[in-house]
């Protein structure tokens, strides 16, 4: 394989400005991007956080993993490390390499593409696909503005079993005694 000269003699790519470096990264595949991000100390100092921000935007553009304009993690590198495992979440599955199809439409499409020897099986025999999806949500509830202390609070109405349990807890009595006090 012939070696390709990336830059003319005298041009030091290790000291490229951040904008130029991000432009170079945008035309590379993921393996080359990771190699360039770990190229050497000069590259790291010049590109640094801007490079990882660009890597997050590449994830957003190419792999459909949202990365906002503001870093929501400790650093852009940390955010990229959090987002990287999600990169294949929305990608379409690879075309089947086996000769079994489960619909006539799929058989016709694959035969038009040049495949031969396809076997049609009923759709109910198709193996089930497993999916996993996780979502983390944080919610903070605040009281209404202008709400007062417990002295101004309205009377609370509890269901009977909760009132009995509350009376038993406060007085340390049996269920029957709690019914009498109620």
């Amino acid at each position: 394989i012939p070696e390709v000269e990336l830059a003319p003699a005298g041009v030091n790519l290790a000291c490229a400005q951040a904008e130029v470096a991000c432009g170079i990264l945008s035309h590379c595949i993921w393996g080359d991007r990771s190699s360039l991000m770990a190229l050497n100390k000069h590259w790291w100092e010049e590109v640094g956080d801007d490079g990882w921000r660009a890597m997050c935007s590449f994830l957003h553009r190419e792999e459909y993993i949202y990365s906002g304009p503001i870093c929501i993690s400790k650093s852009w590198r940390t955010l990229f490390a959090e987002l990287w495992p999600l990169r294949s979440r929305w990608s379409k599955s690879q075309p089947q390499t086996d000769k079994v199809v489960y619909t006539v439409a799929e058989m016709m499409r694959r035969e038009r593409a040049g495949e031969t020897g396809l076997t049609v099986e009923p759709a109910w025999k198709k193996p089930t696909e497993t999916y996993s999806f996780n979502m983390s949500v944080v919610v903070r509830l605040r009281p209404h503005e202008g709400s007062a202390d417990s002295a101004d609070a309205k009377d609370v109405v509890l269901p009977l079993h909760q009132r009995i349990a509350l009376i038993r807890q406060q007085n340390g009595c049996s269920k029957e005694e709690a019914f009498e006090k109620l």
Side-chain angles (χ1 to χ4, degrees):
I1 300 174
E3 248 184 68
V4 177
E5 186 178 338
L6 293 176
V11 175
N12 187 358
L13 286 179
C15 296
Q17 295 293 324
E19 298 83 24
V20 174
C22 293
I24 293 169
L25 289 172
S26 70
H27 296 288
C28 295
I29 60 174
W30 284 109
D32 295 339
R33 288 175 182 160
S34 64
S35 298
L36 283 171
M37 289 303 290
L39 184 64
N40 61 26
K41 181 176 143 183
H42 300 292
W43 178 278
W44 180 252
E45 288 174 356
E46 287 293 323
V47 177
D49 214 33
D50 290 333
W52 290 111
R53 182 178 185 172
M55 295 286 271
C56 288
S57 71
F58 301 148
L59 271 178
H60 178 72
R61 185 179 71 213
E62 297 169 9
E63 306 292 338
Y64 308 108
I65 302 297
Y66 180 72
S67 156
I70 298 171
C71 182
I72 57 172
S73 191
K74 185 172 66 173
S75 68
W76 284 102
R77 182 179 184 173
T78 308
L79 180 63
F80 179 79
E82 292 170 5
L83 298 176
W84 178 250
L86 304 174
R87 70 190 175 281
S88 59
R89 176 72 48 121
W90 310 115
S91 64
K92 294 182 180 177
S93 60
Q94 297 298 322
Q96 293 181 349
T97 56
D98 58 355
K99 298 290 183 179
V100 178
V101 294
Y102 298 98
T103 64
V104 175
E106 182 182 4
M107 182 182 76
M108 292 175 64
R109 180 182 53 80
R110 289 174 66 176
E111 283 179 346
R112 272 189 245 129
E115 289 187 57
T116 57
L118 297 173
T119 306
V120 178
E121 291 284 333
W124 59 269
K125 288 187 177 181
K126 185 175 183 177
T128 59
E129 299 173 7
T130 58
Y131 297 97
S132 70
F133 181 77
N134 297 324
M135 182 180 290
S136 298
V137 178
V138 177
V139 178
R140 181 176 176 204
L141 302 175
R142 296 183 184 176
H144 292 286
E145 288 186 22
S147 65
D149 295 338
S150 60
D152 296 336
K154 296 179 182 176
D155 292 328
V156 177
V157 178
L158 295 175
L160 180 62
H161 72 280
Q162 289 181 352
R163 287 186 67 187
I164 295 296
L166 188 61
I167 292 171
R168 287 182 67 192
Q169 183 182 12
Q170 288 174 346
N171 300 325
C173 59
S174 69
K175 188 182 267 189
E176 291 78 22
E177 293 171 350
F179 270 111
E180 289 174 12
K181 290 184 181 186
L182 184 63

